């Protein structure tokens, strides 16, 4: 979601949450999604000049007992929270990238069958952008309800509606899973890392 003209990140988040509350959405607690980047250790690359691989270790407060490990354009591993301990033991293979932690925190809203999460994306102490996640509870095949999602999004995002997420590309009729959400957060965080200002929204 782009920052509103003449406003900062926090003011834009407040604007969005006010719109949701005016629609009749009710607060349902808070949420947090965080991501730490790891790169393959130099000792494992050999002398071929291979490019190191990046792995993103993520947590989502909606799934408190799980940890997600994602490779860019690769698989998503879902493990229990002890995976963080395993990463410490694998430091000979994967090393944490310096100052790579990025997270989004905010408020969850329920509006009829929609769950909406509006968050402030931060890296270190600074706010870098805004995330918006929308879930339509009764439907498990995202393509079946995409038009309904767009119509709902328009009611509080106006013209800032994104195209269908890339994660749906080859999986038109697939059942939506938590891994699909985490892939979208990984893509959102990577866009934000590459930008100073953040005209980006993350949506499912």
């Amino acid at each position: 979601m782009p920052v509103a003209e003449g406003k900062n990140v926090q003011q834009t988040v407040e604007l969005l949450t006010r719109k949701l509350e005016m629609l009749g959405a009710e607060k349902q607690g808070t949420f947090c999604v965080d991501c730490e980047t790891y790169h393959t250790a130099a000792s494992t690359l050999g002398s071929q000049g291979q490019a190191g691989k990046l792995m993103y270790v993520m947590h989502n407060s909606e799934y408190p007992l799980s940890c997600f490990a994602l490779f860019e354009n690769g698989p998503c591993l879902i493990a229990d929270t002890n995976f963080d301990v395993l990463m410490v033991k694998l430091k000979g293979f994967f090393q944490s990238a310096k100052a790579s932690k990025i997270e989004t925190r905010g408020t969850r809203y329920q509006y009829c069958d929609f769950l909406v999460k509006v968050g402030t994306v931060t890296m270190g102490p600074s706010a870098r952008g805004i995330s918006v996640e929308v879930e339509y509870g009764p439907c498990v095949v995202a393509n079946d309800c995409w038009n309904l999602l767009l119509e709902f999004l328009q009611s509080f995002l106006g013209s800032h509606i994104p195209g269908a997420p890339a994660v749906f590309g080859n999986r038109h009729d697939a059942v939506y899973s938590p891994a699909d959400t985490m892939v979208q957060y990984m893509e959102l965080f990577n866009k934000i890392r590459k930008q100073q200002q953040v005209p980006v929204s993350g949506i499912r």
Side-chain angles (χ1 to χ4, degrees), residues 135-152:
E135 176 184 340
Y136 180 61
C139 188
V140 294
V141 178
N143 253 20
D144 290 351
C145 62
W146 182 245
N147 289 333
L148 182 62
L149 280 171
L150 287 180
E151 196 175 316
F152 174 65

Side-chain angles (χ1 to χ4, degrees), residues 16-186:
L16 277 176
T17 54
R18 265 202 309 275
K19 281 184 184 177
L20 279 167
E21 287 167 12
M22 283 169 60
L23 282 172
E26 293 179 4
K27 284 185 184 178
Q28 298 276 310
T30 58
F31 80 98
C32 176
V33 177
D34 66 64
C35 174
E36 191 142 358
T37 306
Y38 290 82
H39 56 82
T40 43
S43 60
T44 64
L45 294 178
S47 57
Q48 308 298 327
Q50 296 168 295
K53 286 191 172 179
L54 294 177
M55 181 170 67
Y56 304 94
V57 176
M58 304 178 71
H59 305 89
N60 187 333
S61 57
E62 295 289 310
Y63 312 103
L65 300 179
S66 297
C67 180
F68 300 83
L70 298 90
F71 289 94
E72 232 170 354
N73 305 318
C76 174
L77 168 73
I78 303 173
D80 66 26
T81 47
N82 289 337
F83 189 79
D84 292 315
V85 177
L86 181 63
M87 288 309 295
V88 173
K89 294 181 187 275
L90 291 176
K91 64 183 174 201
F93 300 96
F94 286 99
Q95 295 174 339
S96 179
K98 286 190 173 94
S100 70
K101 183 145 186 181
I102 185 169
E103 68 176 22
T104 183
R105 287 180 180 273
T107 307
R108 300 165 86 251
Y109 287 91
Q110 189 78 41
Y111 177 72
C112 301
D113 289 326
F114 293 97
L115 176 63
V116 183
K117 298 176 203 165
V118 179
T120 302
V121 181
T122 56
M123 280 184 77
S126 61
R128 298 289 295 269
I130 301 161
S131 69
V132 178
E133 178 188 343
V134 177
E135 176 184 340
Y136 180 61
C139 188
V140 294
V141 178
N143 253 20
D144 290 351
C145 62
W146 182 245
N147 289 333
L148 182 62
L149 280 171
L150 287 180
E151 196 175 316
F152 174 65
L153 285 166
Q154 214 162 13
S155 66
F156 69 98
L157 291 182
S159 61
H160 303 296
I161 298 176
V167 75
F168 301 154
N170 312 346
R171 309 176 55 234
H172 296 294
D173 298 322
V175 172
Y176 193 87
S177 74
D180 296 323
T181 298
M182 299 313 284
V183 167
Q184 290 176 77
Y185 272 112
M186 178 192 73

Side-chain angles (χ1 to χ4, degrees), residues 179-196:
D180 296 323
T181 298
M182 299 313 284
V183 167
Q184 290 176 77
Y185 272 112
M186 178 192 73
E187 290 168 351
L188 174 69
F189 290 159
N190 283 342
K191 282 180 189 171
I192 288 174
R193 279 191 185 103
K194 292 171 184 164
Q195 296 175 343
Q196 290 299 323

